[in-house]
Amino acid sequence: MTHTLPLPDFTHERVEVITGRRSGLFLAVALHSSVLGSALGGARLWTYPHWSDALGDALRLSAAMTLKNAAAGLDAGGGKAVIALPEGTILDAERRRAAFLDLGDAVEALNGLYRTAEDVGSTTDDMLTVHERTEHVVGLPDAVGGSGEPAGPTSLGVYASLRATLERVTGSADVAGRRITISGLGQVGSRLALRLAAEGAVLTVTDVNPAKRDLARELQASWSEPGFEHLVPADVFVPAGIGGLLTSEVIDDLDARAVCGPANNPLAEHAGADRLAARGILYAPDFVVNAGGVIYLDLEAKKLGTREEIMDRVAGIGDTLRRVFDDAAERGITPLMAAEGLAAQRLTAGHEQHALAR
């Protein structure tokens, strides 16, 4: 990730920025909104060229979590944590533990207004370390009675969204024979690729980690060099890595009928949604598509249903996306505007309930 995205508008309730007293690392915990309830969002461990990049990431991601949780119908606000590694830094086990103990202290300082979880670069075992300093953490390992890794539910929600997107652009939700490009083979992207390959999709995949070529060979998928995957003709382009991939230049060259993927904030600019629409490319809003993990974590933590019932709720993301597409078509707006409207309705209702309670 490079320092290319400006800091977003500050619309947050509270942001804690600290230097970890044990690790010496920059940490940001961004609470965007608690209108619908205690905020929920993961803790990202990532390398940044400058601390302001890490802060900007936390601000953007936490705002996206507010939209995600609201659109998903959860009684949860939006927040995010970021632990920033200077370029070239490699954490040993001792300093990694120190970093997540520091994070636990930062989360505890918010007195329950924010609950953290694993995210890019962090693991359920890291959350156990966080749990030594705070109770406000979800997604602990199965072995200790937690809900475990949320990548599976996230992938299920993306799969349901992909089928809804294919249905809109091809007339059928079947993935067999459809050309699908996946950019990013992390935990969610890899799971999605495995499922799509098993169902007969024609896959092109890529990742910044060249070792992922082994997975491509296993799936009999075509490999694209990173940075060129958007040029491959596809029915659906799936951004599944770090955000900001869809710049104006990429959108102008994108050879796909639709975009639907789990990456947070894949649009480098909000206006990218209009640019996609102008080219006739259907955009499935990321915060609707990738909500499976947070739905799973929130409902599991609150014991709201059996595991099977919760996974059914996750699979229902496809129907939510269909409603977003329908609303956008009826009103002549982009799907992004329609999805933001869906979230805004719940947030407005939450504000009104807070006002009545005062």
Side-chain angles (χ1 to χ4, degrees):
M1 183 176 292
T2 57
H3 187 38
T4 56
L5 299 178
L7 289 175
D9 292 338
F10 190 83
T11 57
H12 296 65
E13 291 181 15
R14 182 173 171 182
V15 177
E16 296 284 335
V17 177
I18 65 171
T19 299
R21 67 180 181 86
R22 302 174 186 84
S23 66
L25 295 173
F26 174 93
L27 282 81
V29 179
L31 170 62
H32 182 256
S33 172
S34 61
V35 168
L36 295 177
S38 172
L40 176 59
R44 177 164 295 193
L45 175 68
W46 197 250
T47 299
Y48 297 89
H50 193 266
W51 67 264
S52 61
D53 296 282
L55 176 59
D57 213 15
L59 295 177
R60 281 185 292 272
L61 291 167
S62 59
M65 288 304 303
T66 296
L67 294 175
K68 180 187 300 190
N69 293 340
L74 299 176
D75 294 324
K80 205 79 172 184
V82 168
I83 302 173
L85 300 179
E87 291 184 318
T89 301
I90 299 176
L91 290 185
D92 59 23
E94 182 178 359
R95 197 177 184 198
R96 185 183 187 99
R97 173 175 164 76
F100 284 98
L101 289 172
D102 288 337
L103 175 62
D105 288 340
V107 171
E108 180 65 17
L110 292 179
N111 298 314
L113 288 175
Y114 166 65
R115 294 167 293 152
T116 197
E118 67 87 34
D119 196 85
V120 175
S122 64
T123 68
T124 55
D125 286 335
D126 292 324
M127 294 306 106
L128 266 183
T129 303
V130 173
H131 194 235
E132 293 180 30
R133 305 298 301 174
T134 183
E135 292 293 320
H136 307 300
V137 56
V138 300
L140 297 176
D142 288 312
V144 297
S147 54
E149 167 62 55
T154 301
S155 178
L156 173 61
V158 177
Y159 173 76
S161 299
L162 183 67
R163 284 176 54 84
T165 302
L166 279 170
E167 184 178 86
R168 190 62 51 138
V169 296
T170 71
S172 171
D174 291 339
V175 303
R178 296 301 177 189
R179 302 167 301 167
I180 300 173
T181 298
I182 301 177
S183 178
L185 294 173
Q187 294 202 52
V188 176
S190 294
R191 282 173 166 83
L192 183 65
L194 286 164
R195 182 164 192 167
L196 295 177
E199 295 187 14
V202 180
L203 292 180
T204 297
V205 299
T206 190
D207 194 276
V208 293
N209 180 1
K212 295 292 184 176
R213 282 179 178 267
D214 292 339
L215 178 60
R217 283 190 287 268
E218 176 187 334
L219 300 178
Q220 297 184 326
S222 299
W223 176 268
S224 172
E225 288 302 316
F228 297 92
E229 65 271 25
H230 63 291
L231 303 176
V232 178
D235 293 300
V236 182
F237 180 79
V238 180
I242 298 299
L245 173 64
L246 295 173
T247 63
S248 296
E249 293 76 16
V250 169
I251 291 172
D252 288 345
D253 292 337
L254 181 62
D255 193 355
R257 301 173 71 178
V259 173
C260 174
N264 287 303
N265 301 326
L267 298 174
E269 299 175 340
H270 191 273
D274 298 300
R275 203 175 192 100
L276 286 166
R279 292 204 56 222
I281 299 172
L282 181 67
Y283 178 63
D286 58 295
F287 59 85
V288 176
V289 172
N290 63 20
V294 76
I295 291 172
Y296 171 74
L297 290 173
D298 189 54
L299 299 185
E300 275 277 335
K302 295 173 179 175
K303 306 301 180 187
L304 297 177
T306 64
R307 185 70 61 91
E308 182 179 358
E309 289 169 339
I310 292 171
M311 294 305 281
D312 284 344
R313 174 83 175 267
V314 170
I317 288 174
D319 291 330
T320 301
L321 186 58
R322 289 180 179 93
R323 290 195 296 273
V324 166
F325 288 153
D326 287 342
D327 184 43
E330 290 170 6
R331 297 169 58 197
I333 59 177
T334 66
L336 179 58
M337 289 183 63
E340 289 173 339
L342 175 63
Q345 289 174 9
R346 291 204 69 235
L347 290 167
T348 298
H351 279 293
E352 291 172 350
Q353 288 177 358
H354 276 212
L356 290 172
R358 285 201 293 267

